[in-house]
């Protein structure tokens, strides 16, 4: 079984920064993709950023240029550096793992709250 634990959420003023981290434990995988998603109150969960096993990165248009995703395969960790935060970034942020070849994400963390005040 895989466990994902997010940390680093909190309350920040608009324009500020936060760094989220996700630690994976349990099974190890020779290759997998990792991603960040978020869900705001009353809204569907949405894609934020992903990084493949080969370090290819992709971002949602809403965060491009402000957020940076990175991974450390040796430590099985995933980070999300969030700069120039906006109130609309307020959400619960989840990290997830997608086994290569699968279309859906297979494992999810419990989420960490990010609140951006105006």
């Amino acid at each position: 079984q895989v466990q994902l634990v997010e940390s680093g959420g909190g309350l920040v003023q608009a324009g500020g920064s936060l760094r989220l981290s996700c630690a994976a434990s349990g099974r190890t995988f020779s290759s997998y993709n990792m991603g960040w998603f978020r869900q705001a109150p009353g809204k569907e969960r949405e894609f934020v950023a992903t990084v493949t096993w080969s370090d290819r990165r992709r971002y949602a248009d809403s965060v491009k240029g402000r957020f940076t995703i990175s991974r450390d395969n040796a430590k099985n960790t995933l980070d999300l550096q969030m700069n120039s935060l906006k109130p609309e970034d307020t959400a619960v942020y989840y990290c997830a793992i997608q086994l290569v070849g699968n279309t859906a994400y297979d494992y999810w963390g419990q989420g960490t709250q990010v609140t951006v005040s105006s």
Side-chain angles (χ1 to χ4, degrees):
Q1 188 69 336
V2 173
Q3 288 187 327
L4 299 174
V5 179
E6 301 98 336
S7 61
L11 173 64
V12 64
Q13 287 189 332
S17 298
L18 279 176
R19 187 176 184 88
L20 304 183
S21 294
C22 175
S25 61
R27 287 181 59 186
T28 57
F29 305 96
S30 58
S31 54
Y32 52 88
N33 304 322
M34 298 185 79
W36 286 99
F37 295 78
R38 67 187 181 186
Q39 187 167 20
K43 294 188 177 181
E44 302 255 331
R45 186 167 58 193
E46 64 176 6
F47 162 77
V48 175
T50 189
V51 55
T52 69
W53 63 274
S54 58
D55 207 32
R56 292 176 62 183
R57 306 176 190 189
R58 184 168 63 91
Y59 298 91
D61 288 343
S62 59
V63 307
K64 204 172 292 184
R66 300 187 297 121
F67 290 11
T68 302
I69 190 171
S70 60
R71 65 188 288 173
D72 186 329
N73 290 335
K75 298 181 180 179
N76 281 342
T77 57
L78 177 72
D79 289 343
L80 185 69
Q81 177 65 43
M82 305 186 295
N83 299 328
S84 302
L85 282 161
K86 304 174 181 180
E88 51 263 44
D89 294 319
T90 295
V92 177
Y93 284 70
Y94 300 89
C95 71
I97 283 178
Q98 178 191 47
L99 302 181
V100 175
N102 288 0
T103 55
Y105 276 75
D106 300 275
Y107 301 97
W108 293 84
Q110 83 290 346
T112 186
Q113 176 70 47
V114 171
T115 303
V116 184
S117 63
S118 55

